Amino acid sequence: MRADGSHRAPRVPRQRGGEVPRQREGGTLPSPPPAHRQAGEADRRRPVLLGRQTVFTVGGARYGCELLYRSAVATTPVDEWPADEQDRATRHVVLTALRCGLEALGGHGPVFVNATRTLFVGEMDLPPLPAGMGLEVVESVRAEPDVVAGVRALRDAGHLVAIDDFSGLPDQLVLLPDVDLVKIDLRDLRAHGAGLLDAARRYGATTVAERVETPDDLAWCRTLGFDLVQGNLLEPALVLDVGRVRSSGSHR
């Protein structure tokens, strides 16, 4: 699918002299001035957005979901951004998902996020990830030795790893033996032919058809033997405002 962390303790506000504000005898702190209250209310109203699209079995049962970066400001697709901006998008989705709780966002199935090289090589500032979070290798990731080692370590830790937008690129072919799922956009399958699906299955990976838009697309996926399907025919990608969702206390 094309893409369109320990939690730090909250900082304690200090007075100008460097002292922590003390409670009054009545047991409560003074209320902030009206202007500060208004600013705080505005921050709480600021949307925190995530995209979510469910992944189904070809029989129509829910399997899991994919979380996507979304912004209130119109932007170019994330996969066209520079590497550092893609890293920020990945980190935002991961941290927001952890704060909300995977089960609250995706139920009991795996919850996938698009992941960049920085995550796979351990250079992204994140807390330990729950095993229920699946990781999709985006097209920009090169199959360098440290990336392959990172993919293997994450799988050993219980994560599902998928190749996103598989089109037979050399780096994708190198990663094939070390992933659990391979996702193929039906537009790429039409362009490259059935050999693309054969390549995806070479090491026994679960195959996922993306961009399933019509009943004919779904019937074709069943004929070809795809394991899972994702697309607007089954469920459009939903945009969720999770700004008011409190931490569930669970990172399952």
Side-chain angles (χ1 to χ4, degrees), residues 46-248:
R46 185 174 300 151
V48 178
L49 305 180
L50 282 178
R52 183 187 68 196
Q53 189 170 43
T54 300
V55 180
F56 296 89
T57 69
V58 290
R62 187 185 185 283
Y63 169 78
C65 71
E66 177 182 359
L67 299 181
L68 303 159
Y69 180 83
R70 291 293 184 265
S71 170
V73 179
T75 64
T76 56
V78 177
D79 54 1
E80 297 178 9
W81 293 4
D84 59 336
E85 293 186 15
Q86 290 193 36
D87 285 343
R88 283 197 289 272
T90 289
R91 188 170 184 271
H92 167 81
V93 173
V94 171
L95 292 179
T96 303
L98 294 180
R99 181 176 66 81
C100 296
L102 299 189
E103 191 170 312
L105 291 170
H108 297 289
V111 175
F112 289 89
V113 299
N114 290 282
T116 57
R117 175 191 181 278
T118 305
L119 188 152
F120 288 109
V121 301
E123 295 176 357
M124 189 172 289
D125 182 17
L126 294 172
L129 302 180
M133 180 173 283
L135 303 165
E136 299 191 11
V137 185
V138 298
E139 288 176 280
S140 60
V141 175
R142 299 292 171 253
E144 303 159 350
D146 51 352
V147 169
V148 176
V151 167
R152 292 173 179 171
L154 286 162
R155 289 186 74 202
D156 288 345
H159 296 276
L160 293 172
V161 178
I163 294 178
D164 188 30
D165 290 326
F166 180 73
S167 59
L169 296 173
D171 290 287
Q172 295 176 327
L173 295 174
V174 171
L175 289 169
L176 270 179
D178 295 300
V179 301
D180 303 282
L181 301 92
V182 178
K183 305 183 75 173
I184 301 177
D185 187 315
L186 290 186
R187 296 173 300 182
D188 289 327
L189 186 58
R190 291 186 179 99
H192 295 279
L196 186 64
L197 184 56
D198 293 337
R201 290 175 169 150
R202 186 174 304 159
Y203 297 96
T206 297
T207 54
V208 188
E210 300 182 286
R211 298 274 183 173
V212 179
E213 306 291 306
T214 69
D216 286 343
D217 286 345
L218 182 57
W220 189 38
C221 292
R222 289 173 173 157
T223 299
L224 292 172
F226 273 97
D227 302 296
L228 302 170
V229 288
Q230 178 179 354
N232 289 334
L233 174 69
L234 305 147
E235 179 188 271
L238 307 175
V239 178
L240 311 175
D241 182 355
V242 298
R244 296 182 181 182
V245 178
R246 297 181 179 274
S247 172
S248 69

